[in-house]
């Protein structure tokens, strides 16, 4: 099938799931009268269906097999049919023209990223081996938890080690790939496009419904325009770092204040300029996510460009559902104060479920939105008892629904570090969960923070200046405060890493992950809030505010026009969606080995391949097959397991198996790690120059050899 046929097949499966779950979606989002939350239906379907099979397969009730996926879909279809039949008696019909528009918007967004990603679809580089390996491990699993592909079984854990990472998003990808029956290396790229289309349409729907509740006597075209702008900011927008387009540039690791280097020619690298004023510095888009030294501050647009299917990317649509549920709860409670507080318990339990989904998908996000809710409860309820009751319901619901995951997940956080700890506290070292580490002191210059977050903070200031002009109705007061809270809480998240950081294994980049995870959510929340500010500016028709908004918007608007071409080129090729194709040119023998394994080897027996560093091409066989190898990317396993020895102690054993002359010792190590197959290819010869294949013929047989004779797979036959 060509790329378009494959994409349409995938899309129609998603369309069917969304249509099936629309009655439930309409019921859950009862106050989203603009569009009845139609775009959320696909995401709710993916979450509920994936969680159902995950829960049942974790309890060993049914296996993760395609026939059972269709059975679960059938059961949910019955539930939605019953909801539809009951709701059909009410006169609350949807605006079908609007739903068709939203479906077209989803389709356009989906096809757009499919086409762009098809220009360079390789599943290679950055975190892609890890993400693809997780998906393939899940696809090979009958029951859960799935096993870690980079830490095989040993004498301590003869059944293997479960993945110690937040992988629920990867499980939703495996669910769709298995359901549709598509090749995983194609499915990987279609998943990315699906998340993008969800992000576009979910942000659109959330903003549109907020505005519609704010003032329902408004032109649909105005709502659509503002909501589309918000979708662009949240999913494609950058930050004010693009001002460096107008400068002579700076060395990547040493940012220079932009006002010091304004130039129309690159004075640092004059060869890059042809004529003064005609050729600008070639703007390097990743710098917008690594601007503050030793930190990370990514946002969705960058994620869609580099195409890692990491937890923070999978969780984009899930956190948008969480935010939508929070907003609806907040709105209903304040508008319908006469409703019994106990009547909100089921809805709070549902929010608790999605907090569990956030946690299992990207662990930071669960606590981020749990804290968001607690602070909101304190303000909304104005009662400590109600706040405690609501928080307890959330927490219990969270614990129950995250239990299948939490039983085998050990967080890789060793404490809360205090940034720039006073010297006398560094002598103490630790006090409860708080760490006081010497020399761990990084403070972000305010001009750098403004470069990253200035667009949103300018909108926050505009909002504070004009919101009182629109507070003559209860709805407006309620929604204005929610927008204020989005801005304020996001700003709070941004400043947390200036004082505290979550301790992990990285020395110089000790606050990088903390800033990354908190800032990512702040970006999404403030993008939604900024779209609402734009709506207020248009309503006020104030030219000064409009000019200020527009001036700063230009810088965030141009980011994707640099980022996508930098990664994908001119986009003039026929799309190729198979992320495995790159192997044909660089490692054709490995591609043949991978295809042989995926076609002929069932379940998850242990293979042995060369061990290499993180972010390298090592561990390509395990990543592309989902079979566990003895030891994978060192730093990754160090982070997940809390010790460098996890992989470090296995490295000599792997070398001994490949290079050792003592056959008995080799056999003992093979038994220790339960190795069933050994890969011998160019990368193995590169890593182990003294490798000899003769002994593998003594303890097994060559069951596959590549057409160029450079790669082979040996099956071990020892008792």
């Amino acid at each position: 099938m060509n790329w378009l046929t494959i994409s349409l097949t995938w899309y129609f499966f998603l369309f069917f799931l969304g249509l099936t779950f629309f009655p439930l979606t309409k019921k859950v989002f009862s106050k989203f009268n603009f569009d009845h939350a139609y775009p959320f239906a696909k995401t709710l379907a993916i979450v509920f269906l994936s969680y159902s099979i995950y829960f049942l397969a974790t309890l060993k009730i049914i296996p993760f097999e395609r026939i059972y996926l269709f059975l679960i879909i059938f059961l949910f279809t019955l539930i939605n049919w019953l909801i539809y039949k009951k709701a059909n008696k009410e006169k609350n019909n949807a605006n079908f023209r609007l739903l068709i528009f939203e479906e077209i918007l989803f389709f356009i967004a989906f096809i757009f990223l499919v086409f762009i990603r098809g220009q360079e679809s390789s599943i290679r580089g950055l975190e892609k081996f890890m993400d693809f390996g997780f998906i393939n491990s899940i696809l090979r699993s009958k029951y859960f938890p799935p096993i870690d592909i980079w830490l095989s079984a040993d004498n301590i854990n003869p059944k293997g080690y479960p993945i110690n990472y937040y992988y629920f998003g990867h499980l939703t990808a495996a669910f769709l790939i298995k359901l549709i029956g598509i090749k995983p290396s194609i499915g990987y790229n279609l998943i990315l496009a699906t998340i993008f289309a969800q992000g576009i349409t979910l942000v659109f729907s959330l903003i549109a419904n907020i505005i519609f509740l704010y003032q329902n006597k408004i032109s649909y075209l105005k709502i659509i325009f503002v909501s589309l702008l918000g979708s662009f900011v949240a999913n494609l927008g950058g930050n004010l770092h693009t001002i460096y387009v107008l400068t002579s540039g700076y060395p990547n690791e040493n940012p220079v204040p932009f006002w010091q280097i304004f130039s129309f020619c690159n004075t640092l690298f004059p060869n890059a300029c042809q004529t003064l004023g005609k050729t600008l510095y070639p703007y390097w888009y990743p710098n917008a996510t690594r601007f503050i030294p030793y930190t990370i501050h990514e946002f969705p647009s960058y994620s869609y460009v580099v195409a890692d299917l990491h937890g923070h990317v999978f969780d984009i649509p899930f956190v948008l559902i969480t935010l939508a549920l929070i907003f609806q709860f907040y709105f209903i409670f304040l508008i319908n104060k006469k409703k019994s507080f106990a009547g909100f318990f089921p809805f709070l339990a549902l929010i608790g479920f999605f907090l569990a989904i956030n946690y299992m998908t990207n662990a930071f996000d669960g606590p981020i939105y749990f804290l968001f809710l607690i602070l909101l409860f304190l303000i909304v309820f104005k009662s400590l008892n109600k706040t405690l009751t609501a928080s307890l319901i959330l927490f219990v619901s969270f614990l129950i629904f995250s239990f299948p995951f939490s039983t085998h997940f050990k967080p890789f956080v060793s404490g809360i570090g205090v940034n720039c700890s006073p010297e006398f506290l560094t002598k103490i070292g630790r006090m409860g969960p708080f760490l006081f580490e010497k020399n761990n002191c990084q403070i972000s210059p305010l001009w750098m923070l403004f470069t990253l977050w200035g667009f949103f903070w300018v909108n926050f200031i505009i909002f504070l200046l004009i919101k009182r002009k629109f507070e003559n109705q209860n709805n407006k007061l309620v929604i204005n405060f929610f927008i204020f809270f989005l801005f304020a809480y996001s700003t709070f998240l941004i400043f947390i890493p200036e004082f505290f950081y979550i301790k992990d294994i990285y020395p110089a980049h000790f606050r990088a992950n903390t800033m990354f995870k908190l800032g990512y959510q702040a970006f999404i929340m403030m993008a939604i809030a900024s779209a609402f500010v734009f709506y207020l500016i248009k309503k006020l028709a104030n030219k000064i505010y409009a000019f200020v908004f527009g001036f700063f918007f230009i810088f965030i608007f141009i980011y994707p026009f640099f980022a996508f071409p930098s990664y994908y080129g001119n986009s003039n090729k026929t799309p190729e969606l198979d992320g495995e194709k790159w192997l044909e040119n660089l490692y054709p023998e490995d591609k043949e080995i991978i295809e042989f394994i995926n076609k002929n080897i069932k379940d998850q027996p242990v293979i042995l391949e060369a061990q290499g560093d993180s972010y390298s091409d090592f561990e390509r066989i395990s990543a592309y097959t989902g079979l566990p190898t003895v030891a994978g990317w060192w730093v990754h396993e160090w982070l997940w397991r809390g010790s460098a020895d996890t992989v470090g102690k296995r490295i000599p054993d792997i070398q001994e198996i490949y290079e050792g002359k003592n056959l008995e010792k080799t056999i003992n190590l093979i038994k220790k790690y339960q190795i069933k197959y050994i890969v011998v290819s160019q990368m193995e010869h590169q890593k182990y120059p003294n490798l000899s294949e003769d002994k593998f013929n003594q303890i097994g047989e060559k069951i596959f050899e590549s057409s160029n004779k450079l790669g082979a797979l040996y099956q071990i036959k020892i008792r």
Side-chain angles (χ1 to χ4, degrees):
M1 292 190 291
N2 64 31
W3 73 274
L4 189 56
T5 304
I6 294 171
S7 301
L8 289 175
T9 302
W10 182 277
Y11 164 75
F12 280 116
F13 265 90
L14 294 175
F15 175 73
F16 169 76
L17 291 179
L19 206 60
T20 300
F21 272 73
F22 186 40
L24 177 60
T25 304
K26 189 175 177 181
K27 182 175 181 64
V28 168
F29 293 101
S30 59
K31 288 297 178 181
F32 280 33
N33 293 324
F34 177 74
D35 60 357
H36 301 289
Y38 173 73
F40 287 85
K42 294 182 183 68
T43 308
L44 280 176
I46 292 169
V47 171
F48 285 138
L49 293 171
S50 298
Y51 184 85
S52 297
I53 189 65
Y54 174 59
F55 179 77
L56 294 171
T58 300
L59 297 180
K60 309 294 189 292
I61 295 174
I62 60 174
F64 183 47
E65 294 177 355
R66 198 175 188 217
I67 187 172
Y68 294 105
L69 303 187
F70 283 106
L71 176 61
I72 292 172
I73 290 173
F74 175 73
L75 294 175
F76 270 100
T77 301
L78 288 179
I79 293 170
N80 276 274
W81 175 254
L82 293 174
I83 294 172
Y84 170 76
K85 291 292 288 183
K86 184 177 180 180
N88 202 35
K89 299 175 182 178
E90 303 174 6
K91 295 180 180 180
N92 192 14
N93 296 321
N95 184 332
F96 285 102
R97 286 184 298 176
L98 183 58
L99 304 193
I100 291 170
F101 170 81
E102 290 179 322
E103 190 60 49
I104 292 172
L105 179 62
F106 179 93
F107 179 76
I108 291 173
F110 173 72
I111 291 296
F112 165 77
L113 205 66
V114 166
F115 182 85
I116 294 296
R117 182 63 188 151
Q119 305 300 303
E120 199 337 76
S121 60
S122 303
I123 305 174
R124 183 196 185 200
L126 299 177
E127 305 281 1
K128 294 180 186 62
F129 274 17
M130 167 197 152
D131 295 320
F132 193 45
F134 282 177
I135 292 171
N136 280 316
S137 179
I138 295 167
L139 283 169
R140 281 185 175 267
S141 301
K142 285 189 176 180
Y143 299 102
F144 300 129
I147 62 174
D148 190 340
I149 57 166
W150 289 342
L151 194 68
S152 72
D154 55 20
N155 294 334
I156 299 174
N157 284 282
K159 293 184 179 180
Y161 291 81
I163 295 174
N164 194 52
Y165 195 79
Y166 22 93
Y167 59 81
F168 183 78
H170 301 84
L171 189 140
T172 64
F175 164 78
L176 288 174
I177 289 169
K178 182 164 291 226
L179 175 69
I180 299 171
I182 206 162
K183 186 178 179 181
S185 55
I186 294 175
Y188 180 100
N189 292 312
L190 293 174
I191 288 291
L192 182 74
T194 301
I195 294 171
F196 175 71
Q198 287 174 296
I200 289 288
T201 51
L202 267 59
V203 172
F204 174 89
S205 179
L206 178 54
I207 293 171
N209 280 285
I210 290 174
I211 294 173
F212 192 72
L213 287 170
Y214 191 81
Q215 184 179 7
N216 55 21
K217 293 181 180 180
I218 180 175
S219 164
Y220 272 39
L221 288 178
K222 288 183 180 179
I223 294 179
I224 289 170
F225 178 73
V226 174
S227 302
L228 286 174
L229 181 138
S231 284
F232 181 93
V233 174
N235 292 281
L236 290 171
N239 52 40
L240 299 185
H241 183 271
T242 51
I243 196 171
Y244 280 91
V245 169
L246 304 175
T247 74
S248 57
Y250 62 86
N252 288 354
E253 301 299 325
N254 297 292
V256 179
F258 60 86
W259 60 86
Q260 294 180 8
I261 52 174
F262 272 128
S263 172
F264 289 100
C265 189
N266 186 348
T267 56
L268 292 178
F269 309 100
N271 292 335
C273 291
Q274 297 172 355
T275 305
L276 182 64
K278 291 186 178 180
T279 305
L280 295 177
Y281 177 73
Y283 180 74
W284 184 228
Y285 71 95
N287 285 349
T289 69
R290 304 294 191 277
F291 185 52
I292 300 175
Y294 304 108
T295 67
I296 303 173
H297 32 78
E298 295 180 12
F299 41 85
S301 182
Y302 175 82
S303 299
Y304 295 131
V305 171
V306 299
D308 282 359
L309 284 181
H310 234 35
H312 59 276
V313 179
F314 275 116
D315 212 28
I316 290 172
F318 305 157
V319 298
L320 289 170
I321 285 188
T322 301
L323 280 169
L325 290 171
I326 292 172
F327 171 74
Q328 178 167 274
F329 162 77
Y330 163 83
F331 183 83
I332 293 175
F333 183 83
L334 287 183
I335 296 299
N336 302 313
K337 292 183 179 179
K338 294 181 180 179
K339 187 173 181 179
S340 167
F341 176 64
F344 289 100
F345 289 2
F347 200 79
L348 289 171
L350 178 62
I351 296 176
F353 167 76
F354 273 95
L355 290 178
I357 296 297
N358 299 149
Y359 174 70
M360 297 188 298
T361 305
N362 192 41
F364 265 79
D365 296 349
I368 286 173
Y369 289 101
F370 191 83
L371 179 60
F372 182 101
L373 279 158
I374 291 175
L375 295 176
L376 197 62
F377 289 160
L378 285 169
I379 296 168
V380 171
F381 295 148
K382 298 178 182 178
S383 164
L384 185 59
N385 287 336
K386 285 186 177 180
T387 297
L388 291 174
T389 302
S391 299
L392 182 62
I393 294 168
L394 278 180
F395 188 62
V396 171
S397 175
F398 168 84
L399 288 179
I400 291 172
F401 289 114
S402 64
F403 181 76
F405 173 79
S406 299
T407 52
H408 59 266
F409 174 67
K410 182 180 179 182
F412 27 91
V413 172
S414 57
I416 302 172
V418 177
N419 192 28
C420 300
S421 300
E423 187 174 350
F424 75 94
L425 288 176
T426 61
K427 295 177 181 178
I428 298 174
R430 186 175 193 127
M431 189 181 298
F434 294 100
L435 303 173
F436 309 102
E437 300 182 294
K438 193 173 184 179
N439 299 323
N440 274 11
C441 185
Q442 296 175 4
I443 300 296
S444 306
L446 288 176
W447 69 270
M448 283 188 164
L449 288 172
F450 185 81
T451 302
L452 299 178
W453 304 102
F455 171 73
F456 298 125
W457 287 343
V458 166
N459 290 330
F460 191 11
I461 293 170
I462 292 175
F463 175 73
L464 293 175
L465 292 173
I466 66 175
K467 69 181 182 68
R468 290 187 180 180
K469 299 180 184 293
F470 302 98
E471 292 184 346
N472 58 333
Q473 295 177 17
N474 196 23
N475 280 23
K476 292 181 170 59
L477 282 167
V478 168
I479 293 175
N480 277 344
F481 180 78
F482 188 79
I483 298 301
F484 167 82
F485 194 78
L486 287 177
F487 275 125
Y489 185 71
S490 298
T491 301
F492 168 68
L493 293 180
I494 290 166
F495 278 100
I496 285 177
E498 303 303 314
F499 301 95
F500 303 98
Y501 58 90
I502 299 300
K503 177 64 176 174
D504 51 32
I505 67 170
Y506 304 108
H509 297 75
F510 59 88
R511 66 180 186 137
N513 268 327
T514 307
M515 183 179 287
F516 171 26
K517 303 293 187 179
L518 300 183
Y520 206 88
Q521 298 309 311
F523 190 101
I524 292 173
M525 285 187 277
M526 288 199 288
I528 293 167
S530 292
F532 186 80
V533 172
F534 178 72
Y535 159 72
L536 292 183
I537 291 172
K538 283 184 65 65
K539 187 173 176 61
L540 191 62
N542 186 300
K543 293 181 179 179
I544 295 176
Y545 291 138
F547 173 80
V548 172
F549 182 95
F551 175 79
F552 286 98
F553 176 74
I554 289 172
F555 292 102
I556 66 122
F557 174 77
I558 64 175
Y559 180 81
F561 296 97
F562 286 95
F564 280 98
S566 293
Y567 196 98
Y568 294 102
N570 296 325
S571 300
N572 54 6
K573 298 185 294 185
T574 301
E576 171 55 65
L577 296 182
D578 192 348
E580 194 178 283
K581 281 283 185 180
W582 68 277
L583 287 163
E584 290 181 354
N585 296 323
L586 293 179
Y587 308 108
E589 62 281 356
D590 291 338
K591 186 175 189 297
E592 292 181 23
I593 292 172
I594 289 166
E595 289 175 344
F596 176 84
I597 290 173
N598 284 333
K599 184 178 180 180
N600 298 285
I601 298 177
K602 307 302 180 184
D603 301 321
Q604 287 184 283
V606 177
I607 62 168
L608 181 67
E609 63 178 323
Q611 186 279 328
D613 293 334
S614 295
Y615 311 106
S616 69
D617 285 341
F618 287 100
E619 276 62 67
R620 77 280 183 210
I621 306 296
S622 51
Y624 273 80
T625 63
L627 298 186
T629 189
V630 176
W633 282 2
W634 193 346
V635 175
H636 281 66
E637 286 293 344
W638 183 356
L639 175 66
W640 302 338
R641 307 294 170 181
S643 172
D645 289 342
T646 302
V647 168
K649 288 184 177 180
R650 294 186 175 209
I651 291 175
D653 291 344
I654 298 172
Q655 184 174 2
E656 177 65 31
I657 294 172
Y658 276 113
E659 294 187 326
K661 305 300 182 184
N662 188 324
L663 189 60
E664 183 179 352
K665 189 173 182 180
T666 297
I667 291 173
N668 289 335
L669 289 172
I670 286 173
K671 289 181 177 179
K672 175 182 178 181
Y673 296 114
Q674 302 181 24
I675 298 168
K676 303 300 181 185
Y677 301 92
I678 295 179
V679 175
V680 178
S681 192
Q682 285 195 76
M683 294 194 74
E684 281 67 39
H685 281 287
Q686 171 191 330
K687 186 69 180 284
Y688 309 107
N690 297 318
L691 186 152
S692 173
E693 297 186 45
D694 292 341
K695 66 177 179 180
F696 299 143
N697 284 314
Q698 297 178 46
I699 57 177
E701 67 171 318
K702 185 187 292 186
I703 60 172
F704 178 78
E705 184 174 55
S706 64
S707 56
N708 63 7
K709 308 298 183 183
L710 296 176
L713 184 67
Y714 290 85
Q715 183 175 16
I716 302 302
K717 294 186 176 181
I718 55 175
R719 295 182 180 180

